[in-house]
Amino acid sequence: MLDAIRVQEVSPTVAWLRSPAAIRERCHQVLDLGLAGRLEYFKVEPSRLPTVVDRVLAVTHEAYPRLDIPVHSRWRHFDAGGVPRLAQLEARLASLPPEERARAKVDLGVVSVLLDAGSGPTWRYQEPGGASYVRSEGLAVASLRMFMAGGFSSDPDRPLRADAEALSRMTREQLERGFQVSESNPLLGVEGRLHLLQGLSRVLPRPGSMFDMLAAHRRSVRAAEVLGTVLEVLGPIWPGRTTVDGVNLGDVWPHPALGPPGSADALVPFHKLSQWLAYSLVEPLAEAGVTVTELDALTGLPEYRNGGLFVDLGVLVPQDPRLTMEVYAPGDAPIVEWRALTVALLDRVAALVRGRLELSPEELPLAKVLQGGTWTAGRRVAAELRPGGVPPIRIRSDGTVF
């Protein structure tokens, strides 16, 4: 199964920029500049962090009164609206051997995460015979239903899988049909999402192959290794952006305050969708007997709910009011700055939340603070402040970053 997978050898600089240590180090460099008042786009007000912690603890206690918080991952969204869709999937997978069940779940997890970039404020998915869902939950339910209908498999006798043949043949029309896209129900970044699925077909015989790469006759794997595998294998599928030593780095962008233009020193890696996928592989691996360790090596996710929480509650104050009025591309300097500050501030929030709850990092890793947590609080505050809960800063989505 793994013979078709070829991972490109990369330079030490590229390898480092693909590591969670690089994400954390560069983002904290930006935060240090912000605390020193040396950033162009945002002023940092650390005195407002307790207000963020209050909101995070409120939503955490509401959703998880016993603090039995799961890891932040794609799996939380599949049962949106309290519908037990994962139980339906489990029932259909029950006759398969454990390893094949794990591969099927990795198939679903990878495809669903790659389809999870921002949907836009008006798109919704109407579940047949059920309710309608928007944003990340809607994308999750749509991708799950498409998966269960065999939409990502080339074998009618084995519908519950994704494979290269089906993904390579995927058309825009098929994807739009599965996600109920129309003139009156537009989904942002359809072409970008399709590009990722078709790219996936060129790097893996099936997404579930990553289970074999990570499980490989062992009982545990480090979280940084999970992310490293995701970045190495999926690296070629991302749209061409920043390159170093001939390698396309994906979700990595320059910030002018860190180094000279065009230098590796100026680059801030985020790898948002890749980290979201790494978090989402924890449970399929665990169910197959492989524990993911050192989960706190991964960082918080630099997306608009976590980032919006800090803007809306006054931790990050735009230096120019136009920042909340204009629309930006992901690589624009204000967005890079916002995302970097978000990652670093999530570390601070996690430490403060643990302190309030008197829990250790082992008892409450960052992944559970996100789930408890910051993402929900960001959404809740946005809904209180703006119609439709739109984020405070607008980003032009191409379907491949957020």
Side-chain angles (χ1 to χ4, degrees):
M1 175 179 289
L2 302 180
D3 291 345
I5 300 172
R6 294 288 180 268
V7 175
Q8 179 183 3
E9 290 189 16
V10 298
S11 69
T13 301
V14 170
W16 187 75
L17 286 167
R18 283 177 168 175
S19 71
I23 301 170
R24 185 164 268 118
E25 181 176 314
R26 288 286 164 88
C27 291
H28 278 273
Q29 286 178 2
V30 176
L31 177 59
D32 288 344
L33 290 171
L35 293 170
R38 294 170 54 196
L39 289 178
E40 182 175 353
Y41 301 102
F42 289 95
K43 186 167 126 182
V44 182
E45 296 285 0
S47 63
R48 297 290 299 167
L49 279 173
T51 303
V52 172
V53 173
D54 289 342
R55 294 301 298 253
V56 171
L57 285 170
V59 298
T60 298
H61 283 304
E62 179 184 322
Y64 306 101
R66 295 203 244 174
L67 296 181
D68 51 345
I69 310 167
V71 168
H72 189 55
S73 80
R74 191 58 165 156
W75 301 98
R76 306 286 76 79
H77 294 154
F78 289 130
D79 284 345
V83 179
R85 300 178 192 87
L86 286 178
Q88 299 167 14
L89 176 65
E90 292 281 2
R92 291 183 58 186
L93 293 173
S95 62
L96 299 177
E99 293 81 5
E100 185 56 25
R101 286 201 301 273
R103 290 186 194 103
K105 287 188 171 183
V106 172
D107 282 337
L108 169 61
V110 172
V111 169
S112 187
V113 164
L114 293 183
L115 290 168
D116 190 37
S119 65
T122 61
W123 177 83
R124 63 185 53 246
Y125 178 78
Q126 175 68 51
E127 191 167 28
S132 66
Y133 301 92
V134 299
R135 298 194 181 272
S136 200
E137 288 90 344
L139 295 167
V141 173
S143 60
L144 175 62
R145 290 306 184 197
M146 198 170 171
F147 180 83
M148 293 181 71
F152 304 110
S153 172
S154 64
D155 186 346
D157 295 326
R158 293 189 295 170
L160 298 181
R161 55 179 273 149
D163 59 59
E165 185 179 345
L167 294 173
S168 68
R169 294 197 317 241
M170 181 75 64
T171 65
R172 179 175 182 135
E173 291 70 28
Q174 287 175 300
L175 191 57
E176 288 183 337
R177 186 164 55 249
F179 281 70
Q180 300 176 351
V181 178
S182 65
E183 285 189 13
S184 61
N185 192 36
L187 174 65
L188 292 181
V190 173
E191 205 60 48
R193 296 170 209 269
L194 181 64
H195 173 88
L196 292 183
L197 292 185
Q198 293 174 340
L200 184 60
S201 75
R202 293 190 288 273
V203 297
L204 289 170
R206 63 180 290 195
S209 304
M210 276 203 286
F211 167 75
D212 299 273
M213 299 176 75
L214 293 165
H217 310 296
R218 52 184 164 177
R219 309 307 295 171
S220 67
V221 58
R222 293 179 300 110
E225 188 178 349
V226 175
L227 177 61
T229 300
V230 169
L231 289 172
E232 289 169 8
V233 174
L234 300 189
I237 79 172
W238 304 110
R241 297 186 179 115
T242 301
T243 61
V244 170
D245 298 330
V247 177
N248 173 31
L249 293 175
D251 189 11
V252 177
W253 314 86
H255 189 285
L258 292 184
S263 72
D265 290 340
L267 296 177
V268 186
F270 296 115
H271 305 304
K272 185 263 177 179
L273 282 179
S274 296
Q275 288 206 89
W276 182 225
L277 177 52
Y279 281 128
S280 299
L281 293 177
V282 170
E283 286 159 88
L285 286 165
E287 290 168 11
V290 181
T291 302
V292 177
T293 62
E294 301 176 26
L295 199 56
D296 256 7
L298 303 184
T299 75
L301 301 180
E303 43 76 44
Y304 63 81
R305 290 303 179 204
N306 289 325
L309 179 65
F310 294 118
V311 174
D312 283 337
L313 294 184
V315 179
L316 297 178
V317 181
Q319 304 268 26
D320 186 331
R322 287 178 297 181
L323 199 57
T324 60
M325 303 173 192
E326 298 178 0
V327 181
Y328 294 92
D332 289 343
I335 302 305
V336 177
E337 188 168 296
W338 180 35
R339 297 180 77 198
L341 291 166
T342 296
V343 170
L345 287 168
L346 286 169
D347 281 343
R348 293 201 170 200
V349 168
L352 292 169
V353 167
R354 292 185 196 113
R356 294 264 200 104
L357 296 175
E358 299 183 345
L359 295 174
S360 69
E362 291 73 29
E363 293 169 313
L364 190 67
L366 175 60
K368 294 189 176 184
V369 177
L370 300 176
Q371 177 60 30
T374 59
W375 190 87
T376 303
R379 171 182 273 184
R380 188 82 54 89
V381 174
E384 293 168 4
L385 295 177
R386 288 174 297 278
V390 297
I393 297 170
R394 291 183 294 167
I395 305 166
R396 193 178 305 112
S397 175
D398 67 356
T400 67
V401 178
F402 293 93

